[in-house]
Amino acid sequence: MNGRHRNILIGISLVAAMGVTMHTGAQTPGDIQQAVDAAYAKFRTLQEGKNADYIPALAKVDPNLFGIAVVTADGKVYTAGDVKTEVSIQSISKVFTMAQVIEEQGLDSVEKQIGVDATGARFNSIIAVEAVRTVVGSGAPEMNPLVNPGAISATSMVRGATSDAVWQKIIGFHNDAAGRQLTVLQDVYKSESDTNQRNQAIGALMLAYGYIKNNWQQAVDLYTRQCSIGVNARDLATMGATLAAGGRNPVSGKQVMNSSKVPGVLAVMATAGLYDDSGKWLYHTGLPAKSGVGGGIVAVSPGKFGIAVVSPPLDDAGNSIRAQRAIADISNAIGGNPYAPRAK
Ligand code: GLN
């Protein structure tokens, strides 16, 4: 290729690249707010699903609570509905504890000790733990830090001399991602501590099978506490935006984790963030996401935005119904699907 041709080619590539940027950048603040408002109006009266009730405190949360927030990678915030009322973060905390372990101990640590594959089972499946036993040693553990067994193991990996030292790191990471001091909803923590025998059984099994190296009771307790952290839709969207912006909280400006490690976090979210419905979710949105039985879902459009919805009624897989519908509508309306960079 001679120089002139090369220059023409470079020119063409630049125009193509700019085309993508210009298109996705063409979302005006008005477009985003309009998409958020439209989804709020469309789903506000939807009456499907049911609050989680296996943790008694969750059954008491107002099922009409509905809040939407989008936080862009450059720190702009768009909201509709109730973005102030807190719900327990539940399984969404699994993302940030996993992120902390990856940040502290590297991408390999989680992959080797827990795994990053989908289980194809419910989030608290014990059969899934037993199934892994059949392939342990094959180098392919079908487990990940976003289902309970893997999450309790991830919590056990956070380093610290005392339970309190570990907790300070866990809550500190969540605080940095949200950009404010979060607190534990004590009623939820107590309610889940009183009724989490199944997770205790999982913790004990994970010790027996070598995923947890020590003190499974502490790991289950800290896991239960991290699931009880109170967050609103705006907090969750900011946490998502921190991942969208390469580990830098775009509102506070704080670099929360090394940007080179963020893609690994997003990959596990894409694989297992909505449990055994993750494939369906990805098919419709292309977005790494994470749900919690408190009713929150956070999704990440890498480089563009974090989006979150809080609405407690869940479907059979344990994912908020309104949150799934609203996030899919909004993201698809504003070009959030990373597999369709030109789609509006
Ligand atoms: N704390 C909940 C549990 O362990 C979290 C589950 C979830 O949000 N899916 O059962």
Side-chain angles (χ1 to χ4, degrees):
M1 198 191 314
N2 67 32
R4 186 160 170 267
H5 278 128
R6 189 177 302 116
N7 284 344
I8 291 171
L9 261 186
I10 290 171
I12 291 170
S13 325
L14 266 177
V15 168
M18 279 169 64
V20 171
T21 313
M22 281 164 63
H23 182 88
T24 53
Q27 297 297 334
T28 64
D31 293 335
I32 301 177
Q33 188 60 50
Q34 198 178 31
V36 168
D37 290 342
Y40 182 74
K42 182 169 167 192
F43 298 115
R44 197 168 51 85
T45 53
L46 184 80
Q47 298 284 340
E48 279 176 47
K50 195 164 140 305
N51 283 26
D53 57 7
Y54 74 102
I55 300 170
L58 300 186
K60 295 190 204 134
V61 178
D62 178 5
N64 296 315
L65 172 61
F66 184 30
I68 305 177
V70 174
V71 177
T72 60
D74 60 357
K76 297 195 182 67
V77 181
Y78 305 88
T79 67
D82 184 343
V83 294
K84 292 227 165 88
T85 301
E86 294 180 1
V87 294
S88 52
I89 189 170
Q90 295 298 339
S91 281
I92 300 169
S93 68
K94 293 167 175 168
V95 169
F96 298 92
T97 299
M98 167 179 73
Q100 173 159 37
V101 174
I102 288 176
E103 175 71 358
E104 187 179 76
Q105 299 166 43
L107 284 156
D108 277 5
S109 63
V110 159
E111 184 182 5
K112 295 215 170 92
Q113 193 162 325
I114 300 170
V116 291
D117 277 321
T119 62
R122 288 184 67 75
F123 61 82
N124 56 3
S125 171
I126 290 174
I127 290 176
V129 178
E130 289 300 311
V132 175
R133 297 285 295 157
T134 64
V135 290
V136 153
S138 69
E142 304 285 317
M143 178 74 70
N144 65 74
L146 301 184
V147 289
N148 291 15
I152 295 167
S153 304
T155 299
S156 82
M157 289 172 74
V158 177
R159 293 187 183 130
T162 61
S163 172
D164 192 54
V166 176
W167 174 248
Q168 290 311 327
K169 283 165 83 173
I170 291 173
I171 187 78
F173 199 94
H174 284 73
N175 289 342
D176 287 347
R180 74 177 181 104
Q181 298 276 325
L182 303 170
T183 54
V184 168
L185 301 177
Q186 291 298 335
D187 59 327
V188 177
Y189 176 47
K190 173 153 187 2
S191 178
E192 186 164 349
S193 298
D194 288 345
T195 54
N196 70 351
Q197 288 76 21
R198 189 183 179 99
N199 283 338
Q200 293 181 46
I202 289 173
L205 265 187
M206 297 311 272
L207 179 84
Y209 294 162
Y211 290 91
I212 293 182
K213 306 293 180 204
N214 51 36
N215 205 342
W216 64 265
Q217 289 96 334
Q218 175 177 304
V220 173
D221 176 53
L222 290 174
Y223 165 80
T224 307
R225 216 185 301 176
Q226 78 181 42
C227 286
S228 309
I229 295 171
V231 284
N232 57 40
R234 189 190 160 123
D235 294 326
L236 289 175
T238 309
M239 296 168 94
T242 297
L243 296 173
R248 179 178 173 274
N249 181 323
V251 180
S252 73
K254 181 165 184 170
Q255 192 72 39
V256 179
M257 80 181 290
N258 190 310
S259 62
S260 68
K261 292 173 173 164
V262 172
V265 173
L266 296 177
V268 185
M269 292 170 76
T271 305
L274 269 70
Y275 312 113
D276 43 324
D277 273 354
S278 298
K280 249 184 275 168
W281 170 258
L282 203 60
Y283 193 76
H284 289 289
T285 65
L287 300 183
K290 185 73 203 84
S291 60
V293 289
I297 296 184
V298 61
V300 179
S301 180
K304 293 183 184 163
F305 58 82
I307 178 169
V309 171
V310 168
S311 166
L314 311 178
D315 64 14
D316 286 344
N319 300 316
S320 166
I321 293 181
R322 277 203 200 109
Q324 292 177 75
R325 304 241 179 111
I327 292 173
D329 265 27
I330 296 166
S331 175
N332 291 335
I334 64 175
N337 188 330
Y339 299 125
R342 284 172 172 279
K344 191 171 176 322

